[in-house]
């Protein structure tokens, strides 16, 4: 048995050297990236001068309507710039003034952020006239009138007047009223079909990640209940929806109906490449009174900022996918709160995450101590376990298991205690998996060579695509994988090898796990990779301190011997396990006796 002779200097030095190498590589790539950015900036200025003299051309919105016949009107405040088109009387452009979109050409977030632009949104109210002809307001030509912060779009159809009245309000809100007069003379319908076709624009760097976060979201039951749908189709024909929206990674376009949408259904399809991520089609009915359509709606074109979403009091905060139940509560009331406190110190986002990681590790340190103490106890009683395995090598597996459990019981070792750290880490991991790519405060925040901690860093670009990896390698993901591998090697030393043929070698599986983790992290938020790099580096330091400073194998051995002398009382779990094993053994013996009689 080895005794604790103090800190293993070789291990400490090796780990310190490895950390220095990793940090050195990171700084090297950072300096290289800065030089490339300076060159790109010079090229960009040259391009801007060249493009300044180019004239833009208006696109033909509808082949049946000439561009000159289409009029536009504009409203703006500090949050939104909104354009309205006379074709359909609908919103034709929405820019969020305080945010920028990612530019794939410059690898920077330097583009105006448009939720609606270039006809990616198309909506209207559809009904039938008395001859059965289908009429949709999106095909009618309206005349715009601007009055302060309001635009009135007016259309005439066979003597009926249809008005869309838009009023731009604070907090990313656009009030939308529909008023008709004389519509009852041309239709007998008692409801109108609201049809909304919406193509989600690619606004972020991580296309696959943003695409996976784009989905339908909606509330019903007087705003109390919320649901979402990221699948191919959505059907809510029995519920009256208070609002329906299309959510993206950090932004959402939502329309609220004061009297609700009924018989709602929709579908969505991925777009594999280009400026759009997904195509959404929604259809729901709104009530008409006396065949007149007089309904109130509200459009929201908003960032998914939790305090803002909660301020509406319409269950919009559920749009932010922070996880269900305990996971969501952990993100809302701990990680977001903790990030805000540390960020108030004036640290950059990357160092805020660094400090967050240390605090989380300090909170979990008592659990880690128990885990490593159990590991040390397992190491001390390993010879006794090996004796049991050798003694019952050819015996009934049930007897061998009972003998093994008896060794653990006498030594005072609770195997189930080793599961606790893993069980605690699972919800934390999932909470952070939701936190980093959805926390808008991190959007656009760079750290070292990662330009956006909510997207992957692609400093190492590959000349070809690798399945599940893509066309890049994330330095943060690689660094994280290395420290996870080191941590795995350090913690798997006491793991027993399989005693029976055909059983998997758990050590090999544990070594494979960090490699597979690279494929997951390579396209995930770099903030997540940075967190787990720091977390596992701290884990390694904690292991070294606990193993060589705090724990003493000689004392642990003496404690185990003392435990063996004490009378043992079985816990409920141990008693239940023993009874189950005895019952199974009796059934096996009875079965063998019956077989002999036959």
């Amino acid at each position: 048995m080895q005794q604790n002779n103090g800190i293993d200097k070789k291990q400490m030095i090796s780990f310190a050297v490895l950390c220095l190498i990793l940090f050195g590589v990171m700084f090297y790539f950072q300096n290289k990236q800065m030089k490339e950015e300076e060159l790109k900036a010079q090229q960009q200025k040259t391009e801007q001068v060249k493009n300044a003299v180019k004239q833009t051309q208006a696109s033909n919105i509808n082949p049946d309507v000439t561009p000159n016949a289409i009029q536009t009107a504009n409203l703006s405040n500090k949050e939104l710039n909104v354009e309205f088109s006379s074709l359909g009387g609908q919103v034709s452009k929405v820019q969020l003034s305080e945010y920028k979109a990612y530019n794939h050409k410059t690898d920077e977030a330097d583009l105006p952020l448009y939720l609606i632009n270039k006809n990616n949104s198309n909506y209207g109210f559809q009904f039938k006239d008395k001859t059965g002809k289908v009429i949709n307001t999106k095909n009618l030509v309206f005349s715009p009138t601007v009055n302060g912060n309001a635009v009135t779009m007016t259309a005439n159809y066979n003597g009926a007047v249809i008005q869309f009245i838009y009023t731009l309000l604070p907090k990313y809100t656009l009030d939308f009223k529909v008023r008709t007069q004389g519509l009852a003379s041309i239709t007998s319908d008692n409801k109108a079909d609201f049809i909304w076709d919406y193509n989600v624009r690619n606004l972020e760097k991580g296309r696959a990640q943003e695409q996976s976060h784009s989905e339908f979201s909606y509330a019903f039951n007087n705003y109390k209940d919320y649901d979402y749908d990221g699948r191919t189709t959505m059907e809510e024909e029995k519920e009256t929806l208070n609002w329906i929206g299309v959510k993206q990674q950090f932004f959402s376009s939502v329309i609220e109906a004061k009297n609700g949408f009924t018989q709602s259904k929709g579908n969505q399809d991925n777009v594999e490449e280009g400026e759009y991520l997904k195509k959404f089609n929604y259809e729901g009915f709104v009530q008409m009174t006396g065949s007149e359509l007089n309904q109130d709606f509200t459009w929201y074109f908003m960032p998914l900022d939790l305090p803002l979403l909660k301020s509406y009091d319409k269950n919009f905060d559920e749009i932010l996918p922070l996880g269900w139940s305990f996971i969501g509560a952990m993100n809302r009331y701990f990680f977001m709160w903790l990030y805000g406190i540390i960020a108030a110190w004036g640290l950059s986002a990357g160092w805020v995450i660094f400090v967050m990681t240390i605090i989380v590790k300090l909170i979990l340190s008592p659990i880690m101590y128990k885990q490593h103490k159990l590991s040390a106890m397992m190491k001390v009683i390993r010879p006794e376990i090996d004796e049991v395995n050798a003694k019952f090598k050819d015996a009934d597996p049930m007897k061998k298991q009972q003998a093994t459990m008896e060794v653990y019981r006498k030594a005072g070792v609770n195997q189930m205690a080793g599961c606790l750290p893993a069980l605690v880490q699972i919800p934390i991991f999932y909470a952070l998996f939701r936190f980093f790519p959805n926390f808008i405060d991190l959007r656009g925040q760079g750290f070292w060579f990662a330009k956006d901690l909510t997207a992957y860093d692609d400093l190492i670009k590959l000349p070809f695509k690798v399945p599940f990896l893509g066309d890049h390698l994330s330095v943060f993901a690689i660094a994280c994988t290395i420290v996870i591998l080191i941590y795995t090697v350090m913690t798997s030393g006491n793991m027993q090898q399989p005693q029976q043929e055909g059983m998997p070698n758990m050590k090999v599986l544990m070594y494979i796990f960090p490699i597979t983790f690279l494929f997951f992290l390579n396209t995930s938020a770099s903030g997540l990779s940075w967190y787990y790099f720091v977390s596992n580096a701290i884990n390694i330091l904690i292991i070294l301190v606990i193993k060589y400073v705090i724990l003493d194998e000689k004392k642990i051995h003496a404690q185990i011997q003392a435990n063996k002398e004490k009378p043992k009382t079985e816990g409920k779990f141990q008693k239940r396990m023993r009874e189950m094993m005895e019952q199974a053994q009796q059934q096996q013996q009875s079965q063998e006796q019956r077989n002999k009689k036959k």
Side-chain angles (χ1 to χ4, degrees), residues 85-104:
S85 171
S86 62
L87 180 60
Q90 56 188 314
V91 175
S92 56
K93 187 178 294 185
V94 173
Q95 178 191 0
L96 275 68
S97 307
E98 298 173 326
Y99 294 89
K100 295 292 184 180
Y102 177 73
N103 187 342
H104 291 271

PDB file of all heavy atoms in Angstrom, residues 85-104:
ATOM      1  N   SER A  85     -45.886  47.961 -47.020  1.00  0.00           N
ATOM      2  CA  SER A  85     -46.059  47.928 -48.470  1.00  0.00           C
ATOM      3  C   SER A  85     -47.535  48.073 -48.819  1.00  0.00           C
ATOM      4  O   SER A  85     -48.408  47.503 -48.145  1.00  0.00           O
ATOM      5  CB  SER A  85     -45.518  46.610 -49.037  1.00  0.00           C
ATOM      6  OG  SER A  85     -45.850  46.474 -50.402  1.00  0.00           O
ATOM      7  N   SER A  86     -47.802  48.828 -49.896  1.00  0.00           N
ATOM      8  CA  SER A  86     -49.182  48.977 -50.342  1.00  0.00           C
ATOM      9  C   SER A  86     -49.724  47.669 -50.920  1.00  0.00           C
ATOM     10  O   SER A  86     -50.944  47.475 -50.978  1.00  0.00           O
ATOM     11  CB  SER A  86     -49.286  50.092 -51.395  1.00  0.00           C
ATOM     12  OG  SER A  86     -48.514  49.771 -52.546  1.00  0.00           O
ATOM     13  N   LEU A  87     -48.840  46.755 -51.335  1.00  0.00           N
ATOM     14  CA  LEU A  87     -49.275  45.445 -51.810  1.00  0.00           C
ATOM     15  C   LEU A  87     -49.598  44.572 -50.604  1.00  0.00           C
ATOM     16  O   LEU A  87     -48.727  44.118 -49.880  1.00  0.00           O
ATOM     17  CB  LEU A  87     -48.199  44.779 -52.659  1.00  0.00           C
ATOM     18  CG  LEU A  87     -48.564  43.395 -53.214  1.00  0.00           C
ATOM     19  CD1 LEU A  87     -49.794  43.469 -54.114  1.00  0.00           C
ATOM     20  CD2 LEU A  87     -47.389  42.790 -53.963  1.00  0.00           C
ATOM     21  N   GLY A  88     -50.876  44.375 -50.365  1.00  0.00           N
ATOM     22  CA  GLY A  88     -51.327  43.587 -49.224  1.00  0.00           C
ATOM     23  C   GLY A  88     -51.461  44.388 -47.948  1.00  0.00           C
ATOM     24  O   GLY A  88     -51.941  43.872 -46.936  1.00  0.00           O
ATOM     25  N   GLY A  89     -50.992  45.654 -47.954  1.00  0.00           N
ATOM     26  CA  GLY A  89     -51.101  46.474 -46.750  1.00  0.00           C
ATOM     27  C   GLY A  89     -50.350  45.898 -45.567  1.00  0.00           C
ATOM     28  O   GLY A  89     -50.712  46.137 -44.410  1.00  0.00           O
ATOM     29  N   GLN A  90     -49.298  45.166 -45.837  1.00  0.00           N
ATOM     30  CA  GLN A  90     -48.635  44.428 -44.770  1.00  0.00           C
ATOM     31  C   GLN A  90     -47.254  44.982 -44.450  1.00  0.00           C
ATOM     32  O   GLN A  90     -46.698  45.802 -45.184  1.00  0.00           O
ATOM     33  CB  GLN A  90     -48.532  42.952 -45.158  1.00  0.00           C
ATOM     34  CG  GLN A  90     -47.817  42.710 -46.475  1.00  0.00           C
ATOM     35  CD  GLN A  90     -47.914  41.252 -46.914  1.00  0.00           C
ATOM     36  OE1 GLN A  90     -47.701  40.342 -46.130  1.00  0.00           O
ATOM     37  NE2 GLN A  90     -48.251  41.041 -48.178  1.00  0.00           N
ATOM     38  N   VAL A  91     -46.711  44.513 -43.329  1.00  0.00           N
ATOM     39  CA  VAL A  91     -45.357  44.878 -42.931  1.00  0.00           C
ATOM     40  C   VAL A  91     -44.384  44.228 -43.908  1.00  0.00           C
ATOM     41  O   VAL A  91     -44.382  43.011 -44.092  1.00  0.00           O
ATOM     42  CB  VAL A  91     -45.066  44.411 -41.493  1.00  0.00           C
ATOM     43  CG1 VAL A  91     -43.608  44.676 -41.133  1.00  0.00           C
ATOM     44  CG2 VAL A  91     -46.006  45.094 -40.505  1.00  0.00           C
ATOM     45  N   SER A  92     -43.544  45.040 -44.548  1.00  0.00           N
ATOM     46  CA  SER A  92     -42.624  44.513 -45.556  1.00  0.00           C
ATOM     47  C   SER A  92     -41.167  44.545 -45.110  1.00  0.00           C
ATOM     48  O   SER A  92     -40.305  43.949 -45.754  1.00  0.00           O
ATOM     49  CB  SER A  92     -42.759  45.302 -46.863  1.00  0.00           C
ATOM     50  OG  SER A  92     -42.560  46.692 -46.636  1.00  0.00           O
ATOM     51  N   LYS A  93     -40.896  45.262 -44.019  1.00  0.00           N
ATOM     52  CA  LYS A  93     -39.511  45.319 -43.538  1.00  0.00           C
ATOM     53  C   LYS A  93     -39.524  45.658 -42.048  1.00  0.00           C
ATOM     54  O   LYS A  93     -40.236  46.562 -41.613  1.00  0.00           O
ATOM     55  CB  LYS A  93     -38.725  46.370 -44.311  1.00  0.00           C
ATOM     56  CG  LYS A  93     -37.224  46.397 -44.010  1.00  0.00           C
ATOM     57  CD  LYS A  93     -36.504  47.457 -44.860  1.00  0.00           C
ATOM     58  CE  LYS A  93     -36.530  47.107 -46.330  1.00  0.00           C
ATOM     59  NZ  LYS A  93     -35.738  48.068 -47.151  1.00  0.00           N
ATOM     60  N   VAL A  94     -38.739  44.928 -41.271  1.00  0.00           N
ATOM     61  CA  VAL A  94     -38.579  45.202 -39.840  1.00  0.00           C
ATOM     62  C   VAL A  94     -37.103  45.104 -39.491  1.00  0.00           C
ATOM     63  O   VAL A  94     -36.481  44.052 -39.659  1.00  0.00           O
ATOM     64  CB  VAL A  94     -39.378  44.209 -38.963  1.00  0.00           C
ATOM     65  CG1 VAL A  94     -39.048  44.435 -37.486  1.00  0.00           C
ATOM     66  CG2 VAL A  94     -40.859  44.346 -39.204  1.00  0.00           C
ATOM     67  N   GLN A  95     -36.560  46.222 -39.018  1.00  0.00           N
ATOM     68  CA  GLN A  95     -35.165  46.257 -38.578  1.00  0.00           C
ATOM     69  C   GLN A  95     -35.110  46.555 -37.090  1.00  0.00           C
ATOM     70  O   GLN A  95     -35.768  47.480 -36.608  1.00  0.00           O
ATOM     71  CB  GLN A  95     -34.374  47.323 -39.339  1.00  0.00           C
ATOM     72  CG  GLN A  95     -32.920  47.433 -38.882  1.00  0.00           C
ATOM     73  CD  GLN A  95     -32.210  48.648 -39.446  1.00  0.00           C
ATOM     74  OE1 GLN A  95     -32.797  49.427 -40.194  1.00  0.00           O
ATOM     75  NE2 GLN A  95     -30.951  48.823 -39.090  1.00  0.00           N
ATOM     76  N   LEU A  96     -34.347  45.760 -36.346  1.00  0.00           N
ATOM     77  CA  LEU A  96     -34.091  46.031 -34.937  1.00  0.00           C
ATOM     78  C   LEU A  96     -32.843  46.899 -34.857  1.00  0.00           C
ATOM     79  O   LEU A  96     -31.722  46.419 -35.076  1.00  0.00           O
ATOM     80  CB  LEU A  96     -33.915  44.734 -34.145  1.00  0.00           C
ATOM     81  CG  LEU A  96     -35.217  44.068 -33.657  1.00  0.00           C
ATOM     82  CD1 LEU A  96     -36.035  43.531 -34.828  1.00  0.00           C
ATOM     83  CD2 LEU A  96     -34.930  42.967 -32.660  1.00  0.00           C
ATOM     84  N   SER A  97     -33.033  48.176 -34.557  1.00  0.00           N
ATOM     85  CA  SER A  97     -31.966  49.168 -34.687  1.00  0.00           C
ATOM     86  C   SER A  97     -30.795  48.930 -33.749  1.00  0.00           C
ATOM     87  O   SER A  97     -29.657  49.307 -34.054  1.00  0.00           O
ATOM     88  CB  SER A  97     -32.534  50.566 -34.441  1.00  0.00           C
ATOM     89  OG  SER A  97     -33.648  50.802 -35.273  1.00  0.00           O
ATOM     90  N   GLU A  98     -31.036  48.346 -32.614  1.00  0.00           N
ATOM     91  CA  GLU A  98     -30.001  48.214 -31.590  1.00  0.00           C
ATOM     92  C   GLU A  98     -29.195  46.923 -31.702  1.00  0.00           C
ATOM     93  O   GLU A  98     -28.337  46.655 -30.854  1.00  0.00           O
ATOM     94  CB  GLU A  98     -30.643  48.296 -30.198  1.00  0.00           C
ATOM     95  CG  GLU A  98     -31.332  49.631 -29.943  1.00  0.00           C
ATOM     96  CD  GLU A  98     -32.106  49.680 -28.647  1.00  0.00           C
ATOM     97  OE1 GLU A  98     -32.676  48.634 -28.251  1.00  0.00           O
ATOM     98  OE2 GLU A  98     -32.141  50.752 -28.019  1.00  0.00           O
ATOM     99  N   TYR A  99     -29.452  46.139 -32.740  1.00  0.00           N
ATOM    100  CA  TYR A  99     -28.760  44.860 -32.901  1.00  0.00           C
ATOM    101  C   TYR A  99     -28.175  44.742 -34.309  1.00  0.00           C
ATOM    102  O   TYR A  99     -28.622  45.409 -35.239  1.00  0.00           O
ATOM    103  CB  TYR A  99     -29.712  43.684 -32.643  1.00  0.00           C
ATOM    104  CG  TYR A  99     -30.189  43.600 -31.211  1.00  0.00           C
ATOM    105  CD1 TYR A  99     -31.341  44.275 -30.799  1.00  0.00           C
ATOM    106  CD2 TYR A  99     -29.489  42.865 -30.266  1.00  0.00           C
ATOM    107  CE1 TYR A  99     -31.775  44.209 -29.488  1.00  0.00           C
ATOM    108  CE2 TYR A  99     -29.915  42.792 -28.953  1.00  0.00           C
ATOM    109  CZ  TYR A  99     -31.055  43.461 -28.564  1.00  0.00           C
ATOM    110  OH  TYR A  99     -31.488  43.394 -27.269  1.00  0.00           O
ATOM    111  N   LYS A 100     -27.171  43.883 -34.438  1.00  0.00           N
ATOM    112  CA  LYS A 100     -26.533  43.615 -35.721  1.00  0.00           C
ATOM    113  C   LYS A 100     -26.622  42.124 -36.042  1.00  0.00           C
ATOM    114  O   LYS A 100     -26.651  41.284 -35.152  1.00  0.00           O
ATOM    115  CB  LYS A 100     -25.058  44.042 -35.701  1.00  0.00           C
ATOM    116  CG  LYS A 100     -24.838  45.542 -35.548  1.00  0.00           C
ATOM    117  CD  LYS A 100     -25.297  46.301 -36.791  1.00  0.00           C
ATOM    118  CE  LYS A 100     -24.985  47.783 -36.679  1.00  0.00           C
ATOM    119  NZ  LYS A 100     -25.434  48.525 -37.880  1.00  0.00           N
ATOM    120  N   ALA A 101     -26.629  41.824 -37.341  1.00  0.00           N
ATOM    121  CA  ALA A 101     -26.664  40.430 -37.801  1.00  0.00           C
ATOM    122  C   ALA A 101     -25.277  39.993 -38.246  1.00  0.00           C
ATOM    123  O   ALA A 101     -24.451  40.814 -38.652  1.00  0.00           O
ATOM    124  CB  ALA A 101     -27.659  40.280 -38.955  1.00  0.00           C
ATOM    125  N   TYR A 102     -25.039  38.704 -38.179  1.00  0.00           N
ATOM    126  CA  TYR A 102     -23.728  38.158 -38.555  1.00  0.00           C
ATOM    127  C   TYR A 102     -23.547  38.200 -40.062  1.00  0.00           C
ATOM    128  O   TYR A 102     -24.455  37.886 -40.837  1.00  0.00           O
ATOM    129  CB  TYR A 102     -23.610  36.717 -38.053  1.00  0.00           C
ATOM    130  CG  TYR A 102     -22.324  36.038 -38.463  1.00  0.00           C
ATOM    131  CD1 TYR A 102     -21.113  36.375 -37.869  1.00  0.00           C
ATOM    132  CD2 TYR A 102     -22.326  35.067 -39.460  1.00  0.00           C
ATOM    133  CE1 TYR A 102     -19.937  35.760 -38.257  1.00  0.00           C
ATOM    134  CE2 TYR A 102     -21.152  34.442 -39.845  1.00  0.00           C
ATOM    135  CZ  TYR A 102     -19.961  34.794 -39.236  1.00  0.00           C
ATOM    136  OH  TYR A 102     -18.797  34.182 -39.629  1.00  0.00           O
ATOM    137  N   ASN A 103     -22.343  38.601 -40.478  1.00  0.00           N
ATOM    138  CA  ASN A 103     -21.983  38.692 -41.892  1.00  0.00           C
ATOM    139  C   ASN A 103     -20.993  37.574 -42.208  1.00  0.00           C
ATOM    140  O   ASN A 103     -19.863  37.569 -41.715  1.00  0.00           O
ATOM    141  CB  ASN A 103     -21.354  40.057 -42.173  1.00  0.00           C
ATOM    142  CG  ASN A 103     -21.099  40.293 -43.651  1.00  0.00           C
ATOM    143  OD1 ASN A 103     -21.068  39.355 -44.452  1.00  0.00           O
ATOM    144  ND2 ASN A 103     -20.923  41.546 -44.028  1.00  0.00           N
ATOM    145  N   HIS A 104     -21.400  36.609 -43.029  1.00  0.00           N
ATOM    146  CA  HIS A 104     -20.546  35.460 -43.347  1.00  0.00           C
ATOM    147  C   HIS A 104     -19.339  35.865 -44.190  1.00  0.00           C
ATOM    148  O   HIS A 104     -18.332  35.148 -44.200  1.00  0.00           O
ATOM    149  CB  HIS A 104     -21.360  34.385 -44.073  1.00  0.00           C
ATOM    150  CG  HIS A 104     -22.372  33.723 -43.198  1.00  0.00           C
ATOM    151  ND1 HIS A 104     -22.092  32.610 -42.442  1.00  0.00           N
ATOM    152  CD2 HIS A 104     -23.681  34.018 -42.949  1.00  0.00           C
ATOM    153  CE1 HIS A 104     -23.164  32.243 -41.766  1.00  0.00           C
ATOM    154  NE2 HIS A 104     -24.142  33.083 -42.055  1.00  0.00           N
TER     155      HIS A 104
END
